[in-house]
Amino acid sequence: MKFHVNRDVFSEAVSFVVKLLPQRNPQPILAGVLIEASEAGLSLAAFDYEASARTTIEATVDDPGTILVHGRLLSEIASRLPNAPIQIEVDEGGGVLLTCGSARFTLASMPVQEYPAIPEVTGDSGLVPAEDFATAIAQVAFAASRDDVTPVLTGVQLEVAGTELSLVATDRYRVALRDIPWDGGAVSGDESTTALVPARTLTEVGKTFAHSGDIQVSFSGSGDREIIAFTAGNKTVTSLLIKGNFPPVRRLFPEQTDHYAVVNTADLTEAVRRVALVLDRSAPLRFTFGPDGVSMDASGTEQAQATESVDATLTGEEVTLGLNPQYLLEALAAVRSEFTRVTFTSSENANKLSPILVTAQTSGGPESFKYLLQPNLLLR
């Protein structure tokens, strides 16, 4: 095997395929990147049984062949090579010889025959605008749980219905929801499709494909090997879906009520960051939404205290509640609007705190981003 390739193109391709690999892999063979050289060019792939990444790039192939080399090491080497074409070939001893300018590296090759087959996706597919999809992922994925004890909550639920794709995530304390356009082509119909995708994998998809025009999303497989694929240009990412039933959180979102406050997003964000400095790590921040605005006060350890007020327009009665400041800050960052509407919901159970609904304050159609946050009990 022997080929020549542009340094920047090769470095970017290797970086893309190794990004989804875990830092520590229980099976050394899965730390490898599979490189196939053929008349069609160069194909690079990585797979750890849960997620895979593949890309094809142009290269001058002298001798076709397939090699498997350690992915992260190859990525680090490729990113630091001098600005010259790269030549890679297999030497007589079976090692992989990489030459770039005056730099020469010899890497150990891994047994190709032991590497698992990269999954192929052949099911129903549709298109989503890449920028909308990347924004939606950023607005929702942070609300997924990071606790592996309940795997179903570590994913983002994708729900296709008609011409709309919804992304939903929850960690039991909050729920984030975003709707974006979906083009299902000829298969678009009344049937809905759902897929529970690991939040970590989906986040990488959003970062990688943010400026790719349209992304093709394909659903495939059955039983224990249901997978989803995201394809844009010459790149494809697949992910094994999380098994289990995602909680029916959509029904928790209330109809809009007449009890809400409108506040400048940036002003509230900065004030929350300042006042929360004196709080213990898990303590709630006290908010009072009144006719004169929203006031915050916090008491922490070392007898430290902080208060601050921000202008707000309140419709309805005054409200005092405790909120996790970090959860609120993440919601305010996801709103992506100059003004935020905080809606106070009501509960049939008088002894139970009702969640707040955070949305952008915009005129016109229904809001595509919604965030529910459960208040904390205030002990004073």
Side-chain angles (χ1 to χ4, degrees):
M1 178 187 185
K2 182 178 180 181
F3 62 86
H4 299 79
V5 65
N6 177 280
R7 183 204 68 166
D8 293 339
V9 172
F10 184 74
S11 176
E12 195 272 337
V14 177
S15 173
F16 161 70
V17 295
V18 302
K19 209 175 287 183
L20 286 169
L21 291 178
Q23 293 288 346
R24 289 192 180 93
N25 211 309
Q27 298 184 44
I29 194 77
L30 299 181
V33 165
L34 189 69
I35 302 176
E36 297 180 64
S38 66
E39 294 179 357
L42 212 59
S43 169
L44 297 92
F47 181 41
D48 68 353
Y49 288 115
E50 293 190 356
S52 78
R54 281 178 296 176
T55 185
T56 55
I57 56 175
E58 292 184 359
T60 302
V61 178
D62 300 325
D63 296 315
T66 303
I67 55 172
L68 184 66
V69 293
H70 193 282
R72 295 200 183 278
L73 177 59
L74 181 62
S75 180
E76 290 178 10
I77 291 171
S79 66
R80 289 172 171 79
L81 289 173
N83 190 14
I86 295 173
Q87 175 182 297
I88 292 181
E89 60 183 319
V90 177
D91 63 23
E92 293 179 357
V96 178
L97 180 62
L98 185 154
T99 308
C100 182
S102 59
R104 289 169 60 88
F105 291 85
T106 302
L107 306 177
S109 61
M110 304 163 80
V112 173
Q113 63 274 16
E114 294 181 18
Y115 199 70
I118 309 294
E120 297 287 342
V121 181
T122 56
D124 293 342
S125 64
L127 296 175
V128 289
E131 285 196 25
D132 287 354
F133 193 50
T135 300
I137 292 169
Q139 288 178 301
V140 170
F142 68 85
S145 174
R146 293 169 180 81
D147 186 354
D148 290 336
V149 173
T150 313
V152 74
L153 298 184
T154 64
V156 176
Q157 175 95 330
L158 304 187
E159 302 173 355
V160 175
T163 59
E164 196 169 73
L165 171 66
S166 299
L167 293 86
V168 193
T170 183
D171 61 2
R172 286 200 183 95
Y173 306 103
R174 57 204 175 148
V175 183
L177 166 68
R178 172 72 199 277
D179 299 322
I180 60 172
W182 167 266
D183 179 6
V187 298
S188 189
D190 296 332
E191 289 189 22
S192 60
T193 303
T194 61
L196 188 53
V197 187
R200 172 183 172 269
T201 304
L202 198 60
T203 299
E204 287 296 341
V205 168
K207 293 175 183 176
T208 302
F209 293 153
H211 307 292
S212 303
D214 285 333
I215 301 172
Q216 179 177 320
V217 183
S218 307
F219 305 89
S220 180
S222 60
D224 293 333
R225 296 301 299 175
E226 284 187 288
I227 58 175
I228 189 170
F230 306 93
T231 303
N234 63 341
K235 295 184 173 76
T236 297
V237 171
T238 72
S239 175
L240 188 67
L241 300 186
I242 299 173
K243 303 297 291 181
N245 295 320
F246 194 73
V249 292
R250 188 184 284 271
R251 61 182 172 80
L252 299 176
F253 287 93
E255 297 296 328
Q256 286 286 4
T257 68
D258 294 329
H259 192 192
Y260 61 88
V262 177
V263 62
N264 182 283
T265 307
D267 291 349
L268 183 59
T269 297
E270 292 303 316
V272 171
R273 282 180 179 150
R274 282 189 289 269
V275 177
L277 289 172
V278 303
L279 280 177
D280 294 335
R281 186 167 185 178
S282 58
L285 179 58
R286 176 186 284 261
F287 290 81
T288 301
F289 292 86
D292 299 324
V294 53
S295 61
M296 292 145 272
D297 63 280
S299 298
T301 53
E302 312 298 332
Q303 297 180 329
Q305 294 183 326
T307 63
E308 188 166 346
S309 297
V310 173
D311 290 339
T313 304
L314 177 66
T315 301
E317 300 175 356
E318 181 174 301
V319 179
T320 298
L321 41 74
L323 297 173
N324 181 312
Q326 185 57 39
Y327 286 2
L328 181 61
L329 287 172
E330 289 175 332
L332 294 173
V335 163
R336 305 195 178 203
S337 172
E338 184 179 0
F339 292 95
T340 295
R341 175 186 288 224
V342 179
T343 301
F344 308 102
T345 66
S346 57
S347 171
E348 296 176 0
N349 186 346
N351 299 318
K352 185 179 179 182
L353 295 170
S354 300
I356 63 166
L357 174 64
V358 179
T359 57
Q361 171 66 10
T362 55
S363 57
E367 181 51 50
S368 64
F369 171 73
K370 298 177 183 179
Y371 179 91
L372 271 183
L373 176 58
Q374 182 66 32
N376 299 60
L377 285 171
L378 290 169
L379 301 179
R380 57 184 177 85

